[in-house]
Amino acid sequence: SKCKCFSHALLCFNITSLNTMSLFKPISRPTLRYLKVNFHQELTVDAFSHFSKLLYLDISESELKLLCPIINDWPPNSKQPLGQSFFHSMSKLVSLVANDNLFNEIRSFCFYGLWSLQDLVLNKNEIYHIEKYAFTGLYSLSVLNLSSLSIKYIDGFAFLGMTSLAIIDLSENDIRKLCDYVFYNLTELESLDLRRNPLSYLCPKALIGLQKLQSVYSEFKSMCCFTWQTQQCSTKYLETLCRNLIPFSVLRQSRRNDFAFRRTKCPTKI
């Protein structure tokens, strides 16, 4: 392995042992703010425990398979309440670059502890599944780009807690169904891009609570019937046509109670 030290940065390549990282504890380098690491082994839950003051972390092109630790990997009697994050001690981090790896899913509480994160880069990964609470803890993130990641499944409450999120890009994936509460509590969301997805199912409460949504982009033919309050929708349908696509009682109820549909089951294909 090789590491190069600068006044505020540390660049490490071909790291095969996490013990190497312990040699660069910020205790002896209080000005360290940027860390670029190229790992050749999987991370552990304490891999970044000594880098609590770090602002920028780049773990791209590392061939990592796990973006989040498996819960059984945590030490016995761990006091971490939601301890499923490699980044639990990095509350000051503002940028995380993790592109060009081998991640295939984002587990619950994967980014827990990254309260200050403003930039998240995940492109060039094959992430097929996003679990519930996957992005919980990312309170400061306003733009989330999840395009071209081969995403197929997104659980309900996946984005819960992202109270600053204004733009989310889910274009060019393999999303066929939007589950109930998938965008729940995204009270600041203004733009939603679902273009170039084979979307064919929309559960009744999938879009509940999006009070500030202004723009929706999707080829799903009835999307605009469910997002009637937006200023811009890529597929405009008249209300009479929406009545043919969706039972009018459901459409009327959605307008009256901000998409609080009474039905609990996901409807058949529209």
Side-chain angles (χ1 to χ4, degrees):
S1 61
K2 289 184 178 180
C3 287
K4 295 182 180 180
C5 298
F6 302 91
S7 59
H8 298 284
L10 175 63
L11 310 180
C12 293
F13 302 93
N14 300 323
I15 297 295
T16 58
S17 175
L18 290 172
N19 291 330
T20 305
M21 301 302 299
S22 64
L23 300 177
F24 300 96
K25 294 180 181 180
I27 295 175
S28 59
R29 295 180 55 80
T31 60
L32 185 65
R33 294 295 179 266
Y34 175 88
L35 175 62
K36 160 65 179 173
V37 190
N38 179 238
F39 288 105
H40 276 201
Q41 74 164 80
E42 293 300 324
L43 298 174
T44 63
V45 293
D46 58 349
F48 302 111
S49 60
H50 301 301
F51 295 89
S52 58
K53 296 183 179 181
L54 205 67
L55 299 181
Y56 304 94
L57 175 62
D58 186 341
I59 56 173
S60 61
E61 301 177 346
S62 294
E63 298 185 356
L64 293 172
K65 295 181 180 179
L66 297 177
L67 181 59
C68 325
I70 300 173
I71 188 62
N72 294 334
D73 290 344
W74 276 91
N77 303 319
S78 172
K79 295 182 179 180
Q80 184 67 20
L82 300 173
Q84 297 188 58
S85 173
F86 291 130
F87 317 106
H88 60 92
S89 63
M90 310 183 80
S91 61
K92 297 187 178 185
L93 197 74
V94 297
S95 178
L96 173 60
V97 178
N99 58 283
D100 290 281
N101 280 287
L102 302 174
F103 306 135
N104 57 25
E105 65 179 334
I106 302 179
R107 295 192 177 102
S108 301
F109 306 109
C110 197
F111 303 102
Y112 190 77
L114 296 177
W115 321 128
S116 304
L117 198 73
Q118 299 175 21
D119 183 33
L120 177 62
V121 180
L122 293 171
N123 59 297
K124 295 186 179 180
N125 284 288
E126 298 287 331
I127 301 174
Y128 77 96
H129 182 205
I130 299 178
E131 292 185 359
K132 62 180 180 180
Y133 314 131
F135 296 96
T136 294
L138 298 182
Y139 304 127
S140 301
L141 199 69
S142 60
V143 178
L144 181 60
N145 185 357
L146 297 175
S147 64
S148 304
L149 293 177
S150 302
I151 299 171
K152 190 171 184 178
Y153 307 105
I154 306 178
D155 294 348
F157 304 104
F159 307 101
L160 186 68
M162 302 188 73
T163 53
S164 299
L165 190 64
I167 299 173
I168 181 169
D169 187 349
L170 287 163
S171 62
E172 299 187 41
N173 283 294
D174 193 30
I175 302 171
R176 301 172 184 271
K177 171 185 174 181
L178 289 180
C179 298
D180 283 335
Y181 304 109
V182 64
F183 301 116
Y184 184 75
N185 204 36
L186 296 184
T187 55
E188 299 298 319
L189 191 69
E190 298 178 359
S191 178
L192 174 62
D193 194 341
L194 289 162
R195 285 175 289 192
R196 292 179 289 281
N197 279 284
L199 186 62
S200 58
Y201 291 85
L202 188 65
C203 288
K205 298 180 182 179
L207 303 175
I208 191 170
L210 301 180
Q211 296 96 335
K212 293 188 178 181
L213 191 64
Q214 298 179 9
S215 303
V216 180
Y217 306 95
S218 173
E219 289 85 9
F220 184 44
K221 61 182 180 180
S222 59
M223 177 63 72
C224 297
C225 298
F226 288 93
T227 57
W228 57 270
Q229 87 284 19
T230 59
Q231 297 179 7
Q232 181 178 358
C233 189
S234 64
T235 310
K236 287 294 183 183
Y237 278 83
L238 297 175
E239 183 172 313
T240 54
L241 183 54
C242 288
R243 292 182 188 181
N244 294 330
L245 293 171
I246 307 171
F248 182 64
S249 60
V250 176
L251 181 63
R252 181 174 56 188
Q253 184 67 27
S254 70
R255 292 195 173 195
R256 183 175 298 172
N257 293 332
D258 189 27
F259 307 108
F261 298 103
R262 296 182 185 276
R263 298 194 300 177
T264 58
K265 294 183 179 180
C266 188
T268 56
K269 187 174 181 179
I270 297 176

